[in-house]
């Protein structure tokens, strides 16, 4: 039996930037609810919302102060219940972003933990004595630059924070921590949430003895601090399997819930998070398209390697953009963004679409005095400024792009008057229209939603593959280059082209020419 998360498409909403309902310049839950019909018209199946829990916002919600509440900036628990009901009424699933590796330093758990060495919650976080000669306990680095250890003068010990010092790491080796975090997940499952995207899952367990990490021989000046060392002992430890299994056991107590793990690891390690006998997370995020060179050969090799690495019965997934990485349209340009949409929505597996990519948002440099991203502020000129991909969603050409009646928390993109949802919804040749067409085809054709995949050998800048299910066979061909490409494909009915040409009455196939930046989908006989 196929689960909804296998055949469906997930849409990520960064709530601060999606839709503001009260004029404070920050998106909120009522704003998301007001825009659900956009998601229905687009054709996605689930919406994943980045953190909305109470937070001091040192890292904009990824520093959680209460795992079972709603931050007042986003609304109330009643607003959340309304959003959940409205989503379900439209046939949409709703996923929350769960942050288990660390809490906020203002979480009551950490306030108790740092109050005294003898406090019962002291061991809920990771405290260590200084090194024998003084200084941090080891050489581990923060993802946001500098040491991952912060000295607490009152107790004479250091606590671990793999991100900001305002984000102390929880001690997942403590059974009480595991129980409390599972209780928080249960709270939301009981409320009707359809699943979780689990933040930095591969970091949740550290080596019990805290040895130094080895140096990275490939580090060069200009790279981030975190890359100075190999995370041999601070990430991806064997005991993480127990954490993942506990989360999956909880999820399996409910019907059709899904767990998605944020895991930046090579394929051989990534696939272990499916767990023994499929008892891990349902979808360990596959981020390779975010960093693979945009060539037919590189992507074909990526598909082959990923499919070969998947354990029996494991379901693949693909991601082209998120709230931490440069947007696809910025990486490959607007013309190739159309080809990228075809790729994402026709590969075997569950696609995740980041809000704004459906209209070709690119992100752009943020004025220095408007930068909010703590990572960019700590490592200016080195770390990617994540603000660029968190700019407010442009809905129309009214003031502030219909996002807010106040001052947006981040600047709007410079092209918002023409690149917005309303303008593209009225244009059958737009990128938004292409996404709608592709998602309609995914719903209509089982071969695209859940079928098998096989690469087709072609030359040049073309990537080609077929998707099959029962008696249905579809062929997808993508020109990732800027020149005409001559290829031989099976003859069939042209279902879609990115060139916005009318679908001809005659079949297309055989010896054909793919124009620059063209992708096509053919239905051929088996």
């Amino acid at each position: 039996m196929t689960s909804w998360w296998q055949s469906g498409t997930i849409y990520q909403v960064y709530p601060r930037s999606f839709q503001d309902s009260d004029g404070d310049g920050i998106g909120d839950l009522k704003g998301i609810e007001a825009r659900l019909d956009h998601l229905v018209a687009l054709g996605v199946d689930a919406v994943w919302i980045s953190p909305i829990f109470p937070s001091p916002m040192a890292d904009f919600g990824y520093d959680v102060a209460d795992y079972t509440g709603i931050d007042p900036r986003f609304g109330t628990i009643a607003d959340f219940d309304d959003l959940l009901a409205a989503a379900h009424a439209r046939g949409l699933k709703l996923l929350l972003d769960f942050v288990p590796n660390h809490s906020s330093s203002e979480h009551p758990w950490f306030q108790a933990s740092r109050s005294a060495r003898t406090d019962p919650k002291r061991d809920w976080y990771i405290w260590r004595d200084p090194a024998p000669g003084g200084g941090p306990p080891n050489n581990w680095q923060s993802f946001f630059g500098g040491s991952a250890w912060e000295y607490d003068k009152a107790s004479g010990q250091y606590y671990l924070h793999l991100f900001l010092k305002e984000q102390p790491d929880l001690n997942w080796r403590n059974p009480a921590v595991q129980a409390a975090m599972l209780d928080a997940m249960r709270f939301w499952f009981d409320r009707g949430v359809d699943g979780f995207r689990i933040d930095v899952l591969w970091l949740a367990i550290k080596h019990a003895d805290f040895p130094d990490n080895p140096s990275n021989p490939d580090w060069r000046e200009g790279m981030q601090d975190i890359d100075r060392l190999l995370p041999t002992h601070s990430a991806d430890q064997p005991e993480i399997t127990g954490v993942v299994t506990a989360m999956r056991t909880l999820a399996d107590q409910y019907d059709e819930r899904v767990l998605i793990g944020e895991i930046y690891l090579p394929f051989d390690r990534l696939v272990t998070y499916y767990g023994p006998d499929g008892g891990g997370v349902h979808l360990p995020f596959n981020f390779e398209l975010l960093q693979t060179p945009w060539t037919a050969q590189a992507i074909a090799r990526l598909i082959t390697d990923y499919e070969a690495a998947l354990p029996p019965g494991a379901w693949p997934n693909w991601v082209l953009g998120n709230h931490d990485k440069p947007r696809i349209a910025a990486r490959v340009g607007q013309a190739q963004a159309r080809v990228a949409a075809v790729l994402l929505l026709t590969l075997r597996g569950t696609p995740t679409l980041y809000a704004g990519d459906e209209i070709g948002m690119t992100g752009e440099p943020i004025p220095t005095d408007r930068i909010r991203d703590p990572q960019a502020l700590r490592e200016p000129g080195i770390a990617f400024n994540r603000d660029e991909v968190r700019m407010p969603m442009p809905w129309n050409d009214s003031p502030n792009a219909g996002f807010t009646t106040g001052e947006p928390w981040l600047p709007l993109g410079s092209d918002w008057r023409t690149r917005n949802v309303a303008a593209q919804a009225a244009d059958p040749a737009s990128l938004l229209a292409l996404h709608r067409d592709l998602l309609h085809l995914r719903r209509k054709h089982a071969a695209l939603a859940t079928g098998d995949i096989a690469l087709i050998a072609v030359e040049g800048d073309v990537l080609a593959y077929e998707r099959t299910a029962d008696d249905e066979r579809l062929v997808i061909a993508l020109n990732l280059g800027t020149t005409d490409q001559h290829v031989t494909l099976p003859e069939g009915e042209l279902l879609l082209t990115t060139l916005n040409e009318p679908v001809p009455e005659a079949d297309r196939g055989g010896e054909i020419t793919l124009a620059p930046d063209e992708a096509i989908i053919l239905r051929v006989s088996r």
Side-chain angles (χ1 to χ4, degrees):
M1 178 181 173
T2 300
S3 296
W4 67 264
W5 49 266
Q6 292 175 294
S7 60
T9 299
I10 299 167
Y11 183 93
Q12 182 193 356
V13 164
Y14 193 73
R16 294 180 69 90
S17 299
F18 198 61
Q19 177 66 61
D20 173 27
S21 71
D22 59 11
D24 66 356
I26 297 172
D28 47 44
L29 296 177
K30 285 187 177 296
I32 297 173
E33 183 180 351
R35 296 297 185 181
L36 288 178
D37 288 342
H38 168 66
L39 307 187
V40 174
L42 182 59
V44 299
D45 300 272
V47 54
W48 146 37
I49 305 175
S50 293
I52 52 175
F53 311 114
S55 169
M57 298 294 166
D59 191 24
F60 296 107
Y62 286 94
D63 48 321
V64 178
D66 178 0
Y67 285 96
T68 58
I70 299 294
D71 191 283
R73 299 170 182 86
F74 299 127
T76 66
I77 195 71
D79 293 334
F80 175 81
D81 289 340
D82 288 345
L83 170 60
L84 182 62
H88 285 171
R90 289 166 171 79
L92 294 169
K93 305 292 186 180
L94 193 147
L95 314 179
L96 290 183
D97 210 323
F98 193 64
V99 189
N101 177 71
H102 48 265
S103 76
S104 166
S105 57
E106 295 187 21
H107 196 294
W109 297 345
F110 186 71
Q111 293 295 304
S113 182
R114 79 183 310 173
S115 66
R117 289 198 186 198
T118 56
D119 189 272
K121 285 190 169 56
R122 182 69 171 185
D123 193 44
W124 281 44
Y125 294 83
I126 297 173
W127 294 90
R128 304 289 290 177
D129 289 330
N138 63 27
N139 68 350
W140 294 1
Q141 294 285 296
S142 161
F143 279 84
F144 289 171
S147 173
W149 296 94
E150 180 71 10
Y151 186 63
D152 179 61
K153 185 176 180 180
S155 65
Q157 286 189 313
Y158 286 84
Y159 68 84
L160 181 68
H161 59 92
L162 290 182
F163 294 88
L164 296 172
K165 64 182 176 63
E166 293 86 359
Q167 295 170 287
D169 281 35
L170 285 153
N171 178 16
W172 273 84
R173 293 182 182 273
N174 185 332
V177 170
Q178 291 201 27
M181 295 298 277
L182 292 174
D183 281 346
M185 296 179 80
R186 185 178 293 108
F187 172 88
W188 295 106
F189 276 140
D190 286 345
R191 214 162 193 99
V193 165
D194 298 289
F196 293 97
R197 175 267 193 184
I198 306 169
D199 186 61
V200 297
L201 179 58
W202 85 107
L203 303 178
I205 292 281
K206 290 79 175 173
H207 194 294
D209 298 327
F210 300 93
D212 280 353
N213 277 329
S215 297
N216 178 5
D218 296 325
W219 187 86
R220 299 292 182 270
E221 197 68 38
M223 295 173 65
Q224 289 186 250
D225 276 357
I226 189 65
D227 296 319
R228 291 177 182 270
L229 307 172
L230 299 175
T232 306
H233 306 300
S234 55
D236 191 33
Q237 299 300 295
E239 296 91 339
I240 192 64
T241 301
V243 172
V244 174
T245 299
M247 292 179 175
R248 176 60 179 269
T249 300
L250 173 62
D252 285 348
Q253 296 172 18
Y254 299 82
D255 292 335
E256 289 288 281
R257 302 302 203 266
V258 67
L259 299 178
I260 305 171
E262 183 194 23
I263 303 159
Y264 281 92
L265 289 174
F267 285 153
D268 62 328
R269 291 303 308 156
L270 174 72
V271 298
T272 65
Y273 286 75
Y274 284 104
D277 302 317
V281 294
H282 301 85
L283 299 174
F285 259 148
N286 166 21
F287 294 120
E288 289 300 315
L289 279 177
L290 295 173
Q291 52 202 20
T292 297
W294 198 253
T295 68
Q297 294 76 19
I299 296 175
R301 185 166 55 251
L302 169 62
I303 295 168
T304 299
D305 292 347
Y306 182 47
E307 288 282 346
L310 290 169
W315 190 248
N317 70 93
W318 297 92
V319 178
L320 265 179
N322 62 26
H323 61 293
D324 288 331
K325 302 295 182 181
R327 285 193 180 268
I328 184 62
R331 289 175 50 209
V332 302
Q334 292 295 343
Q336 276 290 307
R338 298 176 68 83
V339 178
V342 177
L343 177 69
L344 177 67
L345 298 176
T346 62
L347 285 170
R348 188 177 86 96
T350 304
T352 297
L353 178 64
Y354 181 45
D357 282 352
E358 75 269 34
I359 59 171
M361 291 181 70
T362 57
E364 53 194 70
I366 305 292
T368 303
D369 62 349
R370 296 290 303 272
I371 294 175
R372 308 289 294 277
D373 177 17
Q375 184 175 20
L377 289 169
R378 286 168 63 94
E379 295 187 288
I382 296 176
F384 172 64
N385 183 1
R386 299 173 300 171
D387 292 341
E388 294 184 16
V389 297
R390 301 175 180 184
M391 302 172 85
M393 185 80 163
W395 293 101
N396 52 50
D397 62 359
S398 67
N400 291 324
F403 166 70
T404 181
T405 58
E407 176 70 16
W409 78 285
L410 281 176
L412 294 165
S414 59
D415 59 355
W416 65 268
R417 289 178 178 82
T418 54
R419 186 174 302 284
N420 59 65
V421 172
Q424 294 202 17
D427 179 5
S430 68
L431 183 58
L432 176 58
L434 175 63
H435 277 86
R436 289 178 175 180
D437 290 344
L438 285 164
L439 287 162
H440 172 73
L441 289 175
R442 278 185 64 88
R443 289 178 181 271
K444 184 177 179 180
H445 297 281
L448 288 181
T450 57
D452 295 329
I453 189 170
L455 290 175
I456 298 173
V458 291
E459 299 295 328
D461 292 327
V462 175
L463 174 67
Y465 46 91
E466 63 179 26
R467 301 293 311 280
T468 55
D470 299 324
D471 61 349
E472 185 175 57
R473 180 186 178 199
L474 302 182
V475 169
I476 296 93
L478 308 97
N479 184 352
L480 276 68
T482 57
T483 61
D484 287 346
Q485 297 290 305
H486 307 289
V487 295
T488 301
L489 297 173
E491 292 189 1
E493 176 191 358
L494 181 62
L495 298 181
L496 179 141
T497 172
T498 54
L499 297 185
N500 295 298
E501 301 167 353
V503 176
E505 294 297 327
D507 292 344
R508 184 169 178 183
E511 298 281 346
I512 69 168
T513 298
L514 283 177
D517 308 312
E518 182 182 14
I520 62 172
I521 302 176
L522 299 172
R523 178 165 53 192
V524 303
S525 58
R526 294 209 64 171

